[in-house]
Amino acid sequence: MKKNYLFTLLLTLCFSAVSFGQSVVITAILDGKAPSDGCSSGSGSSSPKALELYVSGTVDFNGYKYEAEANGPSSSSGESWTSEDISSLGVRTDEFVYIAASGATVLYELYSGATASNTYAGGSSFNGNDALRITDGTNVLDQFGNPSDVTGSSDHDNSWEYEDSFATRKSGSTANNGAFDVGNWVVPGRNYLDDKTSCGEMLSEVNFGSYSTVASTTPEITVTGSTSSFDYFEGFGPSAEQSFTVSGENLTA
């Protein structure tokens, strides 16, 4: 009896370890500024609208959903999530996959790591203040944005706004089960890509395929607004880092 109990316990722990090793994490969102039918074409200027996901461990996407909540909850019906079955992504192991809500052709041209074989093309489009999430058909696995921050289609005043812009997840941050935290993301802000309309310029900013399950040990300071001075050390004393990187668009001496 004791041997059977021990065997059952070990088996349970093994299954638990496998379960904890599997996850799907949203790692990047792009609300692009390229033409809809090719990077060098002249038709349209709002493609692609794409999500990058990282699959840790082995995940079978059967029954999984991509969902979007547009413009925040209404006063009468609350949150309203559209749902798209992404089962066709199949079984994936330790790799990036993509969802192209629009502009799949441009996504493939923009980034060679996204192909027809690892991309789901379809689902609800989005416009910067729309929350997005991945579910297993029942449970929310990971979510970007909080619908409660948005009061309508014209409300773009929130910390995770990505219209004509993008958002990339910080390495080491894990799936949030619907409890979104903007601190786990780099979000340059609305209209950041307005002057970066070529596929090459967008790719260099979004940096698809760069997420790692291990947090970066290289310290960075990212500046998204205009600034003329700041003191990295002020109030903290000497830094323990040997070096650090300051990056941003609007830096002046």
Side-chain angles (χ1 to χ4, degrees):
M1 180 66 74
K2 289 183 178 179
K3 289 183 179 180
N4 288 339
Y5 175 78
L6 180 60
F7 175 77
T8 302
L9 178 60
L10 290 173
L11 190 62
T12 300
L13 290 173
C14 287
F15 278 122
S16 296
V18 170
S19 177
F20 281 123
Q22 300 170 332
S23 67
V24 177
V25 182
I26 303 171
T27 54
I29 297 168
L30 172 60
D31 184 23
K33 294 287 291 179
S36 58
D37 52 354
C39 290
S40 301
S41 173
S43 176
S45 59
S46 59
S47 289
K49 294 183 185 290
L51 287 77
E52 178 184 73
L53 314 178
Y54 183 71
V55 179
S56 181
T58 298
V59 171
D60 185 348
F61 275 89
N62 184 44
Y64 278 48
K65 312 288 184 183
Y66 152 61
E67 300 186 341
E69 207 286 341
N71 305 322
S74 69
S75 57
S76 59
S77 59
E79 294 179 11
S80 179
W81 293 86
T82 61
S83 183
E84 183 82 359
D85 190 295
I86 55 173
S87 297
S88 61
L89 285 172
V91 178
R92 302 286 173 169
T93 302
D94 296 330
E95 61 182 298
F96 291 99
V97 296
Y98 298 85
I99 297 172
S102 65
T105 299
V106 179
L107 176 63
Y108 305 151
E109 191 176 342
L110 180 154
Y111 179 56
S112 62
T115 66
S117 65
N118 67 1
T119 301
Y120 180 87
S124 294
S125 188
F126 45 81
N127 192 33
N129 63 358
D130 300 333
L132 309 171
R133 69 188 187 188
I134 302 297
T135 80
D136 61 7
T138 303
N139 306 297
V140 177
L141 304 179
D142 198 28
Q143 179 172 314
F144 179 87
N146 183 352
S148 297
D149 295 337
V150 183
T151 58
S153 60
S154 60
D155 181 5
H156 293 272
D157 185 21
N158 63 74
S159 60
W160 47 271
E161 169 65 46
Y162 60 94
E163 183 179 41
D164 295 342
S165 188
F166 66 95
T168 52
R169 196 180 203 117
K170 296 177 182 178
S171 289
S173 61
T174 57
N176 57 37
N177 302 118
F180 172 69
D181 180 359
V182 72
N184 292 325
W185 290 80
V186 174
V187 188
R190 189 183 189 195
N191 300 326
Y192 184 83
L193 295 176
D194 279 357
D195 61 346
K196 302 172 182 66
T197 57
S198 74
C199 283
E201 290 172 319
M202 284 190 288
L203 180 59
S204 67
E205 295 287 347
V206 180
N207 206 13
F208 278 135
S210 62
Y211 170 84
S212 170
T213 55
V214 179
S216 172
T217 57
T218 303
E220 291 186 358
I221 299 174
T222 301
V223 179
T224 58
S226 179
T227 186
S228 59
S229 66
F230 61 87
D231 189 344
Y232 174 67
F233 303 96
E234 183 178 5
F236 299 98
S239 172
E241 289 95 14
Q242 297 299 309
S243 64
F244 61 90
T245 299
V246 177
S247 60
E249 279 286 296
N250 302 304
L251 298 175
T252 58

